[in-house]
Amino acid sequence: MDAELTAFVTTAVTALTGLMVSESWEQAKLRIARLLRRRGTDQDPQGELQAASDELTRARADGDERAAERVGERLRDRLLDTLRDDPDTARELARLITELAPDTPVTYVSSVSGCVYHGPALQGAHITGNVTFEVPAPPPPGVRVRPNQVPALTYEFVNRHSDLDRLRAVFTAGRAGSGTVDLGVVAGVSGVGKSATAHRFAELVQEDYPDGQLYVDFAALRDQSGSAPAAVSDVSEALATCLGSLGVGKDAMPQTVEARRNLFRSCTTDLRILLVLDDVAEPAHVRALIPKGPGSGVLVTTHAKLGELAVRDGAQLIALKPLDAHGGLALLDDFCPPGTVAADRAGAERLVGLCGGLPVALRIVAARLVTEDGLTVAELVEELSDETDRLAGLSLPAEELSVSAALGPSYRLLPPDAARLHRLLGWLPTGLFDVGVAAVAADIDVREAKRLLGVLASASLVERRADKRYAMHDLIRLHARERATDEEPATEETALVGRVATHYLVLAALADRAIKRNRLRIADLSALLADVTDPFAAVGGPSPLGWLDTERAAILGVLRAASRHGWNSLVWPLAEAFTALFLNRRYLDAWRESLELGVAGAVAVARSATTAGEITEATAAEARLRSLLSRPLLDLGRREEARIALESAVTAAETAGDIQLIASVLEFQGRYLDRYDPESAVAVYERSLALNEQAGQTRGAAIAAFFLGCALDARGDDVEALTALHRAHDALLADAEPDVRMAARALAAIGAVHDRLGDTAAADRELREAVAILRERDALHYAADPLMRLADIARRTGADKDVVRGFLTEALAIHDGEGSPAAEELRRRIAELDADD
């Protein structure tokens, strides 16, 4: 082989082996692989190059110079073979070395006989051995060079098909020969994949812009200048970069921003180009760089939404969201070793969820699975499941790449007041909140909170939903919490939790009272609610039950946080008010947890109380909450825990000495005994009924009569049962605050008694009426039992199997939604019905 060619390739190999151990290797590897692939062999150039890089890294770490030399020798032989087969490759190789390793001495080119180096070009050179390559000389002054500056993707681009389609719909002028300039803005939080999407789109539409593509990275300009986002120097430098790419030399470069802007317009008048502006922070940055050439386009990526560009300049805004479960899995599968996702798909799906679909987080997860020996998907899921360590787990060694670093720019560009709100929102026990909650968290008025949330929404750090609440991505919330821990006073988190817990207590108490005014309550909240405007009483106000349901996860989170921070005097009243939801909608696990937190709070208050009144109230609260706790425990099949809770409730109620409370606790005890000792249940209900009558509690007496009737029916005393049930039904409807829901339950029980007495027609009529009322009252939990009885009646009377199946299926949906063990029995009954077909 010719000595000059060998010298040229040897210098190229020196540059490439240097790149192998640098941060630029990923980009270099892809481009060199493309060059080697031109030989058309069956080899995998990327895999080959990565293996060479890994071998070189190990050799240098071990100080094995001979092994390092062998890597270079193999690469040199590979390049020589490629140049021999395709002489045109030399021009491309020279260009790559110039772009990827600009510090390489130009002598690497001049070693080839007769060759003169002019930047990325080699001028006419002949190599003996029938290998000839010619690289054109640089163009003379005034001749345009077609720029192609948008960075290449160094990995396979997956997903985002709908987003790319939306971009195609925005950028039509280049294809249609329009006289306009397209302007599109891709907005989203850091790490969501804005740049990758823009780069991929630019790659796909190169033919639409025959005069080339320009690229400006404003993040890099900010890093270089250290100036504020709106600094004029960034715009000036960006214009200079673009003008230089269009052939304007340093000597001809104007000195003022205005002059550069005018020259840029003049230079682009006859060009159809695409300009990609990455990481823009201000609308002014974009306006200065809009080319004048018809059919051109400007594609902007930004943390902010830059709505001003839409209003004033007609920009089309595209909000880039985190990947969905399918897209996240595809990205994870692409970055992980082959088979990783397939081997533990459930674990991989959990990882996507823990990463919130954020591409930067998924790339870090994949990198850890690749680089950490023995790390499994299951182990990583377990590690990241703990919120306190999740951000630390979503980083690579030496902070080479981390979610915190990726989110940093979005946070650093915020004004101080918005940055403070962002930090404090990180301490909220929920990632979904309204303006009122944000105002309470930051201890500011609602108007200011709304303004600042607008700033955060523009920065893609929160998302305003259609229901006027705001959502904060889990990883953004953890980053905000990290910033709060570092930048806020040590006592601020506890104070914030107290403010937020008080806010939710007020609203939950108002909702509880709006649902049922005369319910037994232990907490005296009259002073707290005295001067509060009740939103549920307003015309067009929210449904109290609907609000409790919507805020269910938030209230449970508040209870947990308040308990951790020692706000026990807020925890138990909030748990008591919160139970209004669960008496209507049986989310059993949530109900159980909220009551357990409430019980612990009441016990803690009693222990620390300093007056007899405080002790009595806390003890009464413990009794009330423990008795309520028996309900979800029983429905979850945790019988022994329910028994212990009730025994403790009876003791606490008797200690508190409140007759109405004792009557209520006995009612709950009777409901436990219903299942295991009906005879004893009758006696307990009779005592509860007597105590309610003694206390003058007509509603309490009616409810005790209802349960007594059910117990008498279970014992076989049908006539006495009907008497008690009719008494309960009539009293519940005649009350000053009629309880239609409980009356419907009594009607269903009356229907059940008639069914056992053989009066099928009456039973069917009463059960259907009860189910209809319970549906209307949104109390479906209580409809499950009469639905099953209706299914039995329909089957006995020879009704169509579809009718039977319909009753059973509706009952199954109710129990399934509550996580009730009864769901399995219903599935068995439906399966038996289907087997008979």
Side-chain angles (χ1 to χ4, degrees):
M1 174 57 65
D2 171 85
E4 288 85 356
L5 177 60
T6 303
F8 166 57
V9 172
T10 298
T11 306
V13 167
T14 300
L16 291 175
T17 52
L19 287 168
M20 283 182 178
V21 292
S22 74
E23 295 181 355
S24 304
W25 174 237
E26 285 300 317
Q27 180 182 0
K29 178 178 66 177
L30 183 64
R31 299 180 68 181
I32 296 299
R34 289 174 180 167
L35 182 147
L36 295 176
R37 194 176 287 116
R38 288 171 59 174
R39 291 192 67 205
T41 66
D42 293 333
Q43 293 175 287
D44 173 18
Q46 272 191 266
E48 178 186 355
L49 289 168
Q50 186 57 51
S53 172
D54 294 343
E55 184 179 347
L56 181 62
T57 300
R58 288 193 299 271
R60 292 189 175 180
D62 296 339
D64 189 344
E65 295 182 6
R66 181 60 192 127
E69 289 174 3
R70 285 196 295 269
V71 174
E73 289 169 0
R74 287 199 300 273
L75 181 58
R76 183 188 61 195
D77 292 342
R78 189 84 159 82
L79 288 173
L80 286 171
D81 289 344
T82 301
L83 290 177
R84 184 185 302 110
D85 291 348
D86 185 358
D88 288 342
T89 305
R91 180 193 304 112
E92 186 175 349
L93 178 59
R95 184 186 304 111
L96 288 179
I97 296 302
T98 302
E99 293 178 7
L100 298 172
D103 295 333
T104 302
V106 295
T107 52
Y108 83 91
V109 176
S110 62
S111 64
V112 181
S113 177
C115 180
V116 181
Y117 175 68
H118 293 283
L122 293 176
Q123 208 169 6
H126 176 77
I127 302 176
T128 59
N130 296 321
V131 179
T132 303
F133 63 93
E134 293 183 1
V135 182
V143 176
R144 289 173 178 161
V145 176
R146 183 180 187 275
N148 189 13
Q149 298 176 344
V150 179
L153 289 170
T154 58
Y155 51 85
E156 188 72 21
F157 186 86
V158 296
N159 305 302
R160 300 295 188 195
H161 303 300
S162 61
D163 297 305
L164 291 173
D165 288 342
R166 290 164 66 193
L167 283 170
R168 287 189 183 92
V170 171
F171 287 86
T172 59
R175 295 192 301 275
S178 168
T180 62
V181 175
D182 293 321
L183 178 55
V185 178
V186 177
V189 70
S190 300
V192 79
K194 302 183 298 296
S195 295
T197 302
H199 297 175
R200 174 58 175 163
F201 178 72
E203 183 180 288
L204 294 173
V205 297
Q206 289 195 53
E207 293 183 1
D208 295 341
Y209 301 97
D211 296 306
Q213 298 182 351
L214 300 175
Y215 176 77
V216 178
D217 183 355
F218 275 90
L221 293 180
R222 287 194 294 271
D223 290 343
Q224 292 169 9
S225 66
S227 51
V232 175
S233 60
D234 291 349
V235 177
S236 180
E237 186 60 32
L239 284 164
T241 299
C242 292
L243 288 169
S245 301
L246 295 173
V248 178
K250 289 184 179 180
D251 293 340
M253 187 70 65
Q255 297 305 304
T256 67
V257 173
E258 188 60 33
R260 289 181 179 183
R261 183 186 295 117
N262 290 334
L263 181 58
F264 178 70
R265 290 169 182 159
S266 298
C267 288
T268 57
T269 298
D270 299 323
L271 302 181
R272 197 166 85 207
I273 60 174
L274 176 68
L275 179 57
V276 177
L277 305 179
D278 227 344
D279 209 356
V280 171
E282 296 289 336
H285 292 169
V286 178
R287 292 196 186 97
L289 288 156
I290 296 176
K292 196 171 182 181
S296 292
V298 180
L299 175 55
V300 178
T301 74
T302 177
H303 304 143
K305 292 184 178 177
L306 305 184
E308 185 182 325
L309 287 176
V311 175
R312 291 184 52 186
D313 304 277
Q316 298 293 311
L317 304 182
I318 296 175
L320 206 63
K321 306 292 184 183
L323 297 170
D324 59 17
H326 176 76
L329 274 179
L331 189 147
L332 196 61
D333 191 36
D334 186 65
F335 278 94
C336 285
T340 301
V341 169
D344 186 0
R345 186 174 181 84
E349 289 173 349
R350 180 72 178 126
L351 279 180
V352 172
L354 290 168
C355 292
L358 207 60
V360 67
L362 290 166
R363 289 176 58 196
I364 291 169
V365 163
R368 290 192 59 190
L369 290 170
V370 170
T371 59
E372 296 182 27
D373 292 340
L375 181 65
T376 67
V377 168
E379 289 170 342
L380 195 49
V381 166
E382 182 179 2
E383 176 187 338
L384 298 181
S385 294
D386 184 354
E387 273 196 353
T388 58
D389 294 327
R390 191 174 304 163
L391 280 186
L394 291 175
S395 62
L396 297 180
E399 297 186 1
E400 174 186 340
L401 180 63
S402 71
V403 169
S404 290
L407 294 174
S410 295
Y411 171 68
R412 288 194 298 271
L413 293 175
L414 293 173
D417 50 0
R420 175 179 177 269
L421 177 60
H422 174 71
R423 293 193 297 271
L424 296 179
L425 291 177
W427 273 331
L428 276 182
T430 174
L432 193 60
F433 50 88
D434 59 25
V435 176
V437 173
V440 168
D443 201 15
I444 56 180
D445 64 54
V446 172
R447 180 178 297 181
E448 179 68 0
K450 187 173 184 179
R451 182 185 70 81
L452 295 178
L453 284 170
V455 175
L456 296 181
S458 294
S460 301
L461 292 171
V462 298
E463 178 184 2
R464 190 173 188 269
R465 298 178 13 145
D467 61 4
K468 298 183 180 180
R469 292 191 297 168
Y470 291 83
M472 201 175 203
H473 188 285
D474 283 348
L475 295 183
I476 296 175
R477 183 162 58 91
L478 292 178
H479 176 264
R481 186 181 304 173
E482 181 182 73
R483 293 295 86 230
T485 301
D486 287 349
E487 300 178 38
E488 293 293 325
T491 58
E492 181 58 27
E493 182 180 5
T494 298
L496 178 147
V497 170
R499 293 193 298 269
V500 171
T502 302
H503 174 80
Y504 274 103
L505 173 57
V506 168
L507 289 172
L510 292 172
D512 175 28
R513 283 154 178 76
I515 293 169
K516 180 62 63 179
R517 180 65 55 181
N518 62 352
R519 196 194 318 278
L520 171 64
R521 297 179 181 88
I522 304 302
D524 180 5
L525 302 178
S526 53
L528 184 65
L529 303 179
D531 299 320
V532 174
T533 301
D534 185 352
F536 306 107
V539 176
S543 156
L545 188 58
W547 180 84
L548 284 169
D549 202 356
T550 298
E551 296 291 339
R552 180 174 78 251
I555 295 173
L556 191 56
V558 168
L559 281 167
R560 292 168 183 153
S563 180
R564 285 197 310 271
H565 287 270
W567 290 103
N568 296 303
S569 60
L570 297 173
V571 170
W572 74 258
L574 179 54
E576 182 185 41
F578 194 24
T579 210
L581 168 66
F582 305 110
L583 291 173
N584 292 274
R585 297 181 184 171
R586 295 297 182 95
Y587 303 109
L588 296 176
D589 278 320
W591 193 12
R592 173 197 55 77
E593 184 182 357
S594 68
L595 289 170
E596 286 175 345
L597 290 167
V599 167
V603 170
V605 169
R607 287 174 179 165
S608 62
T610 57
T611 68
E614 290 174 346
I615 294 173
T616 298
E617 183 187 48
T619 303
E622 179 191 351
R624 174 66 171 160
L625 295 173
R626 285 192 189 277
S627 64
L628 287 165
L629 177 59
S630 68
R631 298 307 302 153
L633 289 175
L634 274 175
D635 287 348
L636 288 168
R638 295 161 68 164
R639 173 184 172 184
E640 182 61 17
E641 292 176 63
R643 182 188 65 78
I644 293 171
L646 283 165
E647 288 179 354
S648 299
V650 170
T651 300
E654 290 175 345
T655 300
D658 185 305
I659 294 177
Q660 184 185 0
L661 175 62
I662 295 171
S664 175
V665 171
L666 287 173
E667 175 205 309
F668 281 99
Q669 188 178 45
R671 294 166 75 179
Y672 169 82
L673 292 170
D674 273 339
R675 304 191 184 194
Y676 311 112
D677 187 356
E679 189 66 33
S680 297
V682 169
V684 169
Y685 284 135
E686 287 175 338
R687 186 182 173 208
S688 175
L689 175 58
L691 288 173
N692 273 300
E693 289 175 337
Q694 179 183 340
Q697 295 295 321
T698 56
R699 180 174 181 274
I703 292 174
F706 162 65
F707 288 116
L708 174 60
C710 293
L712 288 167
D713 177 41
R715 195 173 70 176
D717 296 334
D718 297 326
V719 174
E720 292 181 54
L722 283 174
T723 299
L725 290 170
H726 278 294
R727 171 188 172 179
H729 178 268
D730 295 344
L732 287 164
L733 291 179
D735 191 63
E737 187 183 1
D739 194 334
V740 178
R741 176 176 64 85
M742 279 299 299
R745 294 177 63 188
L747 184 61
I750 291 169
V753 176
H754 280 149
D755 186 32
R756 274 188 288 277
L757 290 172
D759 190 348
T760 302
D764 186 78
R765 181 180 64 252
E766 288 153 353
L767 289 167
R768 287 178 182 270
E769 183 181 350
V771 168
I773 294 170
L774 292 169
R775 284 187 187 129
E776 180 186 342
R777 293 282 163 167
D778 199 13
L780 285 178
H781 165 77
Y782 300 108
D785 183 67
L787 282 166
M788 289 188 285
R789 291 189 180 278
L790 284 168
D792 291 337
I793 291 173
R795 192 165 191 176
R796 287 199 316 268
T797 56
D800 190 280
K801 286 185 178 181
D802 286 341
V803 174
V804 180
R805 187 181 291 105
F807 289 137
L808 293 176
T809 301
E810 187 175 356
L812 173 61
I814 293 168
H815 282 301
D816 249 351
E818 298 172 353
S820 171
E824 290 306 314
E825 172 63 16
L826 281 164
R827 286 193 181 89
R828 184 189 63 76
R829 291 181 62 178
I830 293 171
E832 289 177 354
L833 184 67
D834 292 338
D836 290 341
D837 286 343

